[in-house]
Amino acid sequence: MRLIVPLPGNEAFAERLATAGGFELGRLETRRFPDGESYVRHLSNMAGRTVDLVCSLARPDPGFLSLLFAAEAARDLGAARVSLVAPYLAYMRQDRRFKPGEAITSRPFARLLSGAFDRLITVDPHLHRYPDLAALYAIPTATLHAAPVLADWIAAEVPDALIIGPDEESEQWVAAVAARVGAPHIVLRKIRRGDREVEIVLPDLGAWTGRRPVLIDDIASSGRTLIEAARRLQAQGLKPPVCVVVHAVFADNAFEELARISDQVVSTDSVPHPSNAISLAPLLASALREPDAAGPARRRRSDSGAGTTEGPG
C-alpha cells in the first residue's frame, strides 16, 4: 500500500488524499534546532514502500530544505520509490531573464526537485514559455488539470452562468469549462504593466446582463487581474461575479479586496486557504492509482559516485 506523508501544513490535504485513494497516511516529525536548522524524522515504516510526500509549494522557501531532507531520509530508510505530490508547483514564473543579471529560478528549482524525487505530480502548473514540465524536469512528471472539477462545481452551484476568462491565454481551458457546464463563455484581454498593475479590456457585454458572471483563473497571486476584471464587469452593469480559482495564493490583502467586490470567491484546495471549496484529492488519488505511478524508481548514484538516472518517462 502507498504511504502518503504530509509536510507541515499539508496534513488535511494528505488525509483527504489518503482517504480518497485508500492509501496509508504516514507521519513526519519536524522542528527547528536552536540555530534554526531543520530537524526531520519519519515516524512510519518506509522499507520497500512507495512513498508520496505531499507538499503544496506555495510560499516554498521556509520549508523547502525540510522537503528535500524528508525525501532523502525516506530513501535512506528503504523506500522503493519517493514521489512528490505538489498540488501547487512554485518557481514557474521566472522562465527567462527579463532584466540583465536575473536568476532564471525555474531551472535550478527543477534540478533540485529532480535530484530528490523519482516522480512529480502537480495540478495546472504555470507553463508559459515551457511547452511542458518535461522541458524543465529530469524526472517523470504528471500534469493534472482542474478544469473538470471547476466545471462540476459551477454546474452545481451557479445557475445561468456566463464563464469568463481574464485573458487570451485562458481561452482553451475556459472553453473546456464552459462546454462541460453547458454555458456560454467570453475571454477578456489583459495588459500587464507590472507585478501588481494590470489593465483589463472588455468587449460590450450588454447582451449578458441576465447571466451570473463566473470569473475563472488558474492562479490568484496579487489578485490584480481578478480584481480589475470584477470592477470592469460591474461597470458594464453585470452582477458581482463568482470568482473561481485553481491556486489561491492571495498575497497580502488580495483576497479581502476581491471578496468585497465579488458575490463569492472559491478555490480548490491546492493551497490551504479559507476560500477552499473544491477538493482535488479524488483527482490526485486517481493519478496515483495509475499503473505507471508505481513503476520502478530511477537508479541512484551509488556510494562510490557511479550510476545513472533515467530521463522523463
PDB file of all heavy atoms in Angstrom, residues 137-167:
ATOM      1  N   TYR A 137      11.999  19.415 -16.102  1.00  0.00           N
ATOM      2  CA  TYR A 137      12.291  18.421 -15.073  1.00  0.00           C
ATOM      3  C   TYR A 137      12.911  17.175 -15.685  1.00  0.00           C
ATOM      4  O   TYR A 137      12.500  16.725 -16.760  1.00  0.00           O
ATOM      5  CB  TYR A 137      11.024  18.066 -14.299  1.00  0.00           C
ATOM      6  CG  TYR A 137      10.653  19.130 -13.294  1.00  0.00           C
ATOM      7  CD1 TYR A 137       9.978  20.280 -13.693  1.00  0.00           C
ATOM      8  CD2 TYR A 137      11.015  19.002 -11.959  1.00  0.00           C
ATOM      9  CE1 TYR A 137       9.668  21.270 -12.787  1.00  0.00           C
ATOM     10  CE2 TYR A 137      10.706  19.999 -11.041  1.00  0.00           C
ATOM     11  CZ  TYR A 137      10.044  21.124 -11.463  1.00  0.00           C
ATOM     12  OH  TYR A 137       9.754  22.115 -10.563  1.00  0.00           O
ATOM     13  N   ALA A 138      13.881  16.590 -14.967  1.00  0.00           N
ATOM     14  CA  ALA A 138      14.597  15.407 -15.443  1.00  0.00           C
ATOM     15  C   ALA A 138      14.009  14.116 -14.889  1.00  0.00           C
ATOM     16  O   ALA A 138      14.640  13.071 -14.955  1.00  0.00           O
ATOM     17  CB  ALA A 138      16.074  15.512 -15.063  1.00  0.00           C
ATOM     18  N   ILE A 139      12.815  14.174 -14.336  1.00  0.00           N
ATOM     19  CA  ILE A 139      12.128  13.004 -13.806  1.00  0.00           C
ATOM     20  C   ILE A 139      10.748  12.920 -14.461  1.00  0.00           C
ATOM     21  O   ILE A 139      10.256  13.913 -15.005  1.00  0.00           O
ATOM     22  CB  ILE A 139      11.965  13.080 -12.266  1.00  0.00           C
ATOM     23  CG1 ILE A 139      11.304  14.402 -11.854  1.00  0.00           C
ATOM     24  CG2 ILE A 139      13.304  12.886 -11.576  1.00  0.00           C
ATOM     25  CD1 ILE A 139      11.004  14.513 -10.369  1.00  0.00           C
ATOM     26  N   PRO A 140      10.125  11.751 -14.423  1.00  0.00           N
ATOM     27  CA  PRO A 140       8.752  11.673 -14.929  1.00  0.00           C
ATOM     28  C   PRO A 140       7.832  12.623 -14.169  1.00  0.00           C
ATOM     29  O   PRO A 140       7.945  12.772 -12.948  1.00  0.00           O
ATOM     30  CB  PRO A 140       8.372  10.208 -14.672  1.00  0.00           C
ATOM     31  CG  PRO A 140       9.665   9.473 -14.625  1.00  0.00           C
ATOM     32  CD  PRO A 140      10.640  10.433 -14.003  1.00  0.00           C
ATOM     33  N   THR A 141       6.962  13.288 -14.899  1.00  0.00           N
ATOM     34  CA  THR A 141       6.017  14.223 -14.298  1.00  0.00           C
ATOM     35  C   THR A 141       4.601  13.908 -14.768  1.00  0.00           C
ATOM     36  O   THR A 141       4.402  13.382 -15.865  1.00  0.00           O
ATOM     37  CB  THR A 141       6.345  15.672 -14.672  1.00  0.00           C
ATOM     38  OG1 THR A 141       6.301  15.813 -16.108  1.00  0.00           O
ATOM     39  CG2 THR A 141       7.735  16.072 -14.174  1.00  0.00           C
ATOM     40  N   ALA A 142       3.641  14.225 -13.932  1.00  0.00           N
ATOM     41  CA  ALA A 142       2.224  14.103 -14.299  1.00  0.00           C
ATOM     42  C   ALA A 142       1.570  15.453 -14.041  1.00  0.00           C
ATOM     43  O   ALA A 142       1.568  15.939 -12.913  1.00  0.00           O
ATOM     44  CB  ALA A 142       1.542  13.018 -13.483  1.00  0.00           C
ATOM     45  N   THR A 143       1.061  16.058 -15.109  1.00  0.00           N
ATOM     46  CA  THR A 143       0.370  17.340 -15.005  1.00  0.00           C
ATOM     47  C   THR A 143      -1.132  17.092 -15.076  1.00  0.00           C
ATOM     48  O   THR A 143      -1.650  16.656 -16.116  1.00  0.00           O
ATOM     49  CB  THR A 143       0.798  18.286 -16.141  1.00  0.00           C
ATOM     50  OG1 THR A 143       2.187  18.581 -16.008  1.00  0.00           O
ATOM     51  CG2 THR A 143       0.009  19.589 -16.076  1.00  0.00           C
ATOM     52  N   LEU A 144      -1.816  17.338 -13.974  1.00  0.00           N
ATOM     53  CA  LEU A 144      -3.266  17.147 -13.913  1.00  0.00           C
ATOM     54  C   LEU A 144      -3.965  18.488 -14.122  1.00  0.00           C
ATOM     55  O   LEU A 144      -3.384  19.549 -13.891  1.00  0.00           O
ATOM     56  CB  LEU A 144      -3.657  16.545 -12.567  1.00  0.00           C
ATOM     57  CG  LEU A 144      -2.890  15.294 -12.148  1.00  0.00           C
ATOM     58  CD1 LEU A 144      -3.403  14.776 -10.812  1.00  0.00           C
ATOM     59  CD2 LEU A 144      -2.979  14.215 -13.212  1.00  0.00           C
ATOM     60  N   HIS A 145      -5.225  18.414 -14.533  1.00  0.00           N
ATOM     61  CA  HIS A 145      -5.967  19.633 -14.854  1.00  0.00           C
ATOM     62  C   HIS A 145      -7.248  19.717 -14.023  1.00  0.00           C
ATOM     63  O   HIS A 145      -8.004  18.748 -13.934  1.00  0.00           O
ATOM     64  CB  HIS A 145      -6.285  19.678 -16.338  1.00  0.00           C
ATOM     65  CG  HIS A 145      -5.058  19.656 -17.209  1.00  0.00           C
ATOM     66  ND1 HIS A 145      -4.203  20.729 -17.306  1.00  0.00           N
ATOM     67  CD2 HIS A 145      -4.532  18.669 -17.969  1.00  0.00           C
ATOM     68  CE1 HIS A 145      -3.194  20.414 -18.112  1.00  0.00           C
ATOM     69  NE2 HIS A 145      -3.375  19.172 -18.520  1.00  0.00           N
ATOM     70  N   ALA A 146      -7.453  20.885 -13.445  1.00  0.00           N
ATOM     71  CA  ALA A 146      -8.590  21.083 -12.544  1.00  0.00           C
ATOM     72  C   ALA A 146      -9.855  21.510 -13.263  1.00  0.00           C
ATOM     73  O   ALA A 146     -10.907  21.597 -12.622  1.00  0.00           O
ATOM     74  CB  ALA A 146      -8.230  22.124 -11.480  1.00  0.00           C
ATOM     75  N   ALA A 147      -9.781  21.773 -14.558  1.00  0.00           N
ATOM     76  CA  ALA A 147     -10.955  22.289 -15.278  1.00  0.00           C
ATOM     77  C   ALA A 147     -12.214  21.451 -15.061  1.00  0.00           C
ATOM     78  O   ALA A 147     -13.292  22.007 -14.809  1.00  0.00           O
ATOM     79  CB  ALA A 147     -10.643  22.414 -16.770  1.00  0.00           C
ATOM     80  N   PRO A 148     -12.149  20.112 -15.123  1.00  0.00           N
ATOM     81  CA  PRO A 148     -13.390  19.344 -14.920  1.00  0.00           C
ATOM     82  C   PRO A 148     -14.009  19.538 -13.531  1.00  0.00           C
ATOM     83  O   PRO A 148     -15.237  19.619 -13.418  1.00  0.00           O
ATOM     84  CB  PRO A 148     -12.943  17.893 -15.134  1.00  0.00           C
ATOM     85  CG  PRO A 148     -11.735  17.986 -16.005  1.00  0.00           C
ATOM     86  CD  PRO A 148     -11.034  19.234 -15.553  1.00  0.00           C
ATOM     87  N   VAL A 149     -13.179  19.604 -12.481  1.00  0.00           N
ATOM     88  CA  VAL A 149     -13.765  19.767 -11.144  1.00  0.00           C
ATOM     89  C   VAL A 149     -14.276  21.184 -10.941  1.00  0.00           C
ATOM     90  O   VAL A 149     -15.273  21.398 -10.221  1.00  0.00           O
ATOM     91  CB  VAL A 149     -12.773  19.351 -10.033  1.00  0.00           C
ATOM     92  CG1 VAL A 149     -12.486  17.868 -10.097  1.00  0.00           C
ATOM     93  CG2 VAL A 149     -11.483  20.150 -10.081  1.00  0.00           C
ATOM     94  N   LEU A 150     -13.627  22.178 -11.565  1.00  0.00           N
ATOM     95  CA  LEU A 150     -14.171  23.542 -11.524  1.00  0.00           C
ATOM     96  C   LEU A 150     -15.530  23.578 -12.210  1.00  0.00           C
ATOM     97  O   LEU A 150     -16.486  24.178 -11.695  1.00  0.00           O
ATOM     98  CB  LEU A 150     -13.228  24.521 -12.220  1.00  0.00           C
ATOM     99  CG  LEU A 150     -11.817  24.714 -11.701  1.00  0.00           C
ATOM    100  CD1 LEU A 150     -11.135  25.856 -12.446  1.00  0.00           C
ATOM    101  CD2 LEU A 150     -11.792  24.981 -10.205  1.00  0.00           C
ATOM    102  N   ALA A 151     -15.605  22.942 -13.375  1.00  0.00           N
ATOM    103  CA  ALA A 151     -16.860  22.935 -14.126  1.00  0.00           C
ATOM    104  C   ALA A 151     -17.972  22.257 -13.348  1.00  0.00           C
ATOM    105  O   ALA A 151     -19.121  22.744 -13.325  1.00  0.00           O
ATOM    106  CB  ALA A 151     -16.649  22.244 -15.472  1.00  0.00           C
ATOM    107  N   ASP A 152     -17.663  21.155 -12.684  1.00  0.00           N
ATOM    108  CA  ASP A 152     -18.687  20.440 -11.929  1.00  0.00           C
ATOM    109  C   ASP A 152     -19.199  21.281 -10.763  1.00  0.00           C
ATOM    110  O   ASP A 152     -20.395  21.260 -10.457  1.00  0.00           O
ATOM    111  CB  ASP A 152     -18.141  19.108 -11.430  1.00  0.00           C
ATOM    112  CG  ASP A 152     -17.894  18.118 -12.563  1.00  0.00           C
ATOM    113  OD1 ASP A 152     -18.379  18.362 -13.691  1.00  0.00           O
ATOM    114  OD2 ASP A 152     -17.199  17.112 -12.326  1.00  0.00           O
ATOM    115  N   TRP A 153     -18.284  22.025 -10.113  1.00  0.00           N
ATOM    116  CA  TRP A 153     -18.719  22.902  -9.023  1.00  0.00           C
ATOM    117  C   TRP A 153     -19.618  24.011  -9.561  1.00  0.00           C
ATOM    118  O   TRP A 153     -20.680  24.309  -8.980  1.00  0.00           O
ATOM    119  CB  TRP A 153     -17.519  23.508  -8.303  1.00  0.00           C
ATOM    120  CG  TRP A 153     -17.922  24.323  -7.102  1.00  0.00           C
ATOM    121  CD1 TRP A 153     -18.070  23.871  -5.820  1.00  0.00           C
ATOM    122  CD2 TRP A 153     -18.286  25.715  -7.090  1.00  0.00           C
ATOM    123  NE1 TRP A 153     -18.491  24.903  -4.999  1.00  0.00           N
ATOM    124  CE2 TRP A 153     -18.626  26.041  -5.751  1.00  0.00           C
ATOM    125  CE3 TRP A 153     -18.347  26.707  -8.062  1.00  0.00           C
ATOM    126  CZ2 TRP A 153     -19.025  27.324  -5.374  1.00  0.00           C
ATOM    127  CZ3 TRP A 153     -18.754  27.988  -7.692  1.00  0.00           C
ATOM    128  CH2 TRP A 153     -19.084  28.282  -6.364  1.00  0.00           C
ATOM    129  N   ILE A 154     -19.219  24.627 -10.670  1.00  0.00           N
ATOM    130  CA  ILE A 154     -20.018  25.717 -11.247  1.00  0.00           C
ATOM    131  C   ILE A 154     -21.389  25.210 -11.668  1.00  0.00           C
ATOM    132  O   ILE A 154     -22.418  25.848 -11.407  1.00  0.00           O
ATOM    133  CB  ILE A 154     -19.276  26.343 -12.447  1.00  0.00           C
ATOM    134  CG1 ILE A 154     -17.994  27.043 -11.976  1.00  0.00           C
ATOM    135  CG2 ILE A 154     -20.173  27.342 -13.177  1.00  0.00           C
ATOM    136  CD1 ILE A 154     -17.048  27.418 -13.108  1.00  0.00           C
ATOM    137  N   ALA A 155     -21.428  24.048 -12.317  1.00  0.00           N
ATOM    138  CA  ALA A 155     -22.701  23.487 -12.774  1.00  0.00           C
ATOM    139  C   ALA A 155     -23.647  23.239 -11.612  1.00  0.00           C
ATOM    140  O   ALA A 155     -24.868  23.412 -11.738  1.00  0.00           O
ATOM    141  CB  ALA A 155     -22.449  22.195 -13.544  1.00  0.00           C
ATOM    142  N   ALA A 156     -23.103  22.851 -10.462  1.00  0.00           N
ATOM    143  CA  ALA A 156     -23.938  22.539  -9.301  1.00  0.00           C
ATOM    144  C   ALA A 156     -24.331  23.776  -8.512  1.00  0.00           C
ATOM    145  O   ALA A 156     -25.393  23.796  -7.872  1.00  0.00           O
ATOM    146  CB  ALA A 156     -23.198  21.562  -8.380  1.00  0.00           C
ATOM    147  N   GLU A 157     -23.498  24.823  -8.529  1.00  0.00           N
ATOM    148  CA  GLU A 157     -23.684  25.946  -7.610  1.00  0.00           C
ATOM    149  C   GLU A 157     -24.099  27.261  -8.263  1.00  0.00           C
ATOM    150  O   GLU A 157     -24.592  28.156  -7.569  1.00  0.00           O
ATOM    151  CB  GLU A 157     -22.378  26.183  -6.834  1.00  0.00           C
ATOM    152  CG  GLU A 157     -21.892  24.988  -6.018  1.00  0.00           C
ATOM    153  CD  GLU A 157     -22.811  24.657  -4.859  1.00  0.00           C
ATOM    154  OE1 GLU A 157     -23.535  25.568  -4.395  1.00  0.00           O
ATOM    155  OE2 GLU A 157     -22.797  23.495  -4.411  1.00  0.00           O
ATOM    156  N   VAL A 158     -23.898  27.413  -9.574  1.00  0.00           N
ATOM    157  CA  VAL A 158     -24.144  28.716 -10.216  1.00  0.00           C
ATOM    158  C   VAL A 158     -25.066  28.546 -11.409  1.00  0.00           C
ATOM    159  O   VAL A 158     -24.606  28.233 -12.525  1.00  0.00           O
ATOM    160  CB  VAL A 158     -22.817  29.373 -10.661  1.00  0.00           C
ATOM    161  CG1 VAL A 158     -23.093  30.807 -11.140  1.00  0.00           C
ATOM    162  CG2 VAL A 158     -21.791  29.377  -9.538  1.00  0.00           C
ATOM    163  N   PRO A 159     -26.363  28.754 -11.232  1.00  0.00           N
ATOM    164  CA  PRO A 159     -27.279  28.659 -12.376  1.00  0.00           C
ATOM    165  C   PRO A 159     -27.105  29.851 -13.319  1.00  0.00           C
ATOM    166  O   PRO A 159     -26.691  30.934 -12.899  1.00  0.00           O
ATOM    167  CB  PRO A 159     -28.660  28.677 -11.709  1.00  0.00           C
ATOM    168  CG  PRO A 159     -28.446  29.363 -10.399  1.00  0.00           C
ATOM    169  CD  PRO A 159     -27.063  29.009  -9.961  1.00  0.00           C
ATOM    170  N   ASP A 160     -27.400  29.650 -14.584  1.00  0.00           N
ATOM    171  CA  ASP A 160     -27.338  30.712 -15.608  1.00  0.00           C
ATOM    172  C   ASP A 160     -25.966  31.378 -15.647  1.00  0.00           C
ATOM    173  O   ASP A 160     -25.837  32.606 -15.740  1.00  0.00           O
ATOM    174  CB  ASP A 160     -28.420  31.773 -15.351  1.00  0.00           C
ATOM    175  CG  ASP A 160     -29.822  31.198 -15.421  1.00  0.00           C
ATOM    176  OD1 ASP A 160     -30.067  30.373 -16.309  1.00  0.00           O
ATOM    177  OD2 ASP A 160     -30.649  31.564 -14.571  1.00  0.00           O
ATOM    178  N   ALA A 161     -24.931  30.569 -15.616  1.00  0.00           N
ATOM    179  CA  ALA A 161     -23.569  31.106 -15.567  1.00  0.00           C
ATOM    180  C   ALA A 161     -23.109  31.629 -16.925  1.00  0.00           C
ATOM    181  O   ALA A 161     -23.484  31.107 -17.985  1.00  0.00           O
ATOM    182  CB  ALA A 161     -22.601  30.040 -15.079  1.00  0.00           C
ATOM    183  N   LEU A 162     -22.306  32.675 -16.879  1.00  0.00           N
ATOM    184  CA  LEU A 162     -21.522  33.151 -18.014  1.00  0.00           C
ATOM    185  C   LEU A 162     -20.067  32.967 -17.610  1.00  0.00           C
ATOM    186  O   LEU A 162     -19.577  33.624 -16.690  1.00  0.00           O
ATOM    187  CB  LEU A 162     -21.812  34.623 -18.311  1.00  0.00           C
ATOM    188  CG  LEU A 162     -20.883  35.294 -19.335  1.00  0.00           C
ATOM    189  CD1 LEU A 162     -21.041  34.656 -20.717  1.00  0.00           C
ATOM    190  CD2 LEU A 162     -21.138  36.808 -19.396  1.00  0.00           C
ATOM    191  N   ILE A 163     -19.366  32.054 -18.257  1.00  0.00           N
ATOM    192  CA  ILE A 163     -17.987  31.742 -17.887  1.00  0.00           C
ATOM    193  C   ILE A 163     -17.064  32.767 -18.533  1.00  0.00           C
ATOM    194  O   ILE A 163     -17.122  32.993 -19.750  1.00  0.00           O
ATOM    195  CB  ILE A 163     -17.595  30.322 -18.337  1.00  0.00           C
ATOM    196  CG1 ILE A 163     -18.666  29.304 -17.915  1.00  0.00           C
ATOM    197  CG2 ILE A 163     -16.227  29.955 -17.790  1.00  0.00           C
ATOM    198  CD1 ILE A 163     -18.872  29.223 -16.428  1.00  0.00           C
ATOM    199  N   ILE A 164     -16.196  33.380 -17.729  1.00  0.00           N
ATOM    200  CA  ILE A 164     -15.352  34.472 -18.211  1.00  0.00           C
ATOM    201  C   ILE A 164     -13.889  34.164 -17.901  1.00  0.00           C
ATOM    202  O   ILE A 164     -13.522  33.911 -16.750  1.00  0.00           O
ATOM    203  CB  ILE A 164     -15.746  35.812 -17.550  1.00  0.00           C
ATOM    204  CG1 ILE A 164     -17.232  36.115 -17.820  1.00  0.00           C
ATOM    205  CG2 ILE A 164     -14.864  36.948 -18.067  1.00  0.00           C
ATOM    206  CD1 ILE A 164     -17.740  37.339 -17.079  1.00  0.00           C
ATOM    207  N   GLY A 165     -13.059  34.200 -18.935  1.00  0.00           N
ATOM    208  CA  GLY A 165     -11.615  34.079 -18.764  1.00  0.00           C
ATOM    209  C   GLY A 165     -10.985  35.456 -18.735  1.00  0.00           C
ATOM    210  O   GLY A 165     -11.405  36.352 -19.467  1.00  0.00           O
ATOM    211  N   PRO A 166      -9.966  35.668 -17.902  1.00  0.00           N
ATOM    212  CA  PRO A 166      -9.412  37.018 -17.713  1.00  0.00           C
ATOM    213  C   PRO A 166      -8.477  37.478 -18.818  1.00  0.00           C
ATOM    214  O   PRO A 166      -8.176  38.657 -18.906  1.00  0.00           O
ATOM    215  CB  PRO A 166      -8.655  36.885 -16.393  1.00  0.00           C
ATOM    216  CG  PRO A 166      -8.215  35.460 -16.367  1.00  0.00           C
ATOM    217  CD  PRO A 166      -9.327  34.682 -17.021  1.00  0.00           C
ATOM    218  N   ASP A 167      -7.985  36.554 -19.656  1.00  0.00           N
ATOM    219  CA  ASP A 167      -7.043  36.948 -20.704  1.00  0.00           C
ATOM    220  C   ASP A 167      -7.063  35.922 -21.831  1.00  0.00           C
ATOM    221  O   ASP A 167      -7.657  34.848 -21.706  1.00  0.00           O
ATOM    222  CB  ASP A 167      -5.624  37.110 -20.142  1.00  0.00           C
ATOM    223  CG  ASP A 167      -5.148  35.886 -19.380  1.00  0.00           C
ATOM    224  OD1 ASP A 167      -5.423  34.764 -19.832  1.00  0.00           O
ATOM    225  OD2 ASP A 167      -4.514  36.055 -18.328  1.00  0.00           O
TER     226      ASP A 167
END
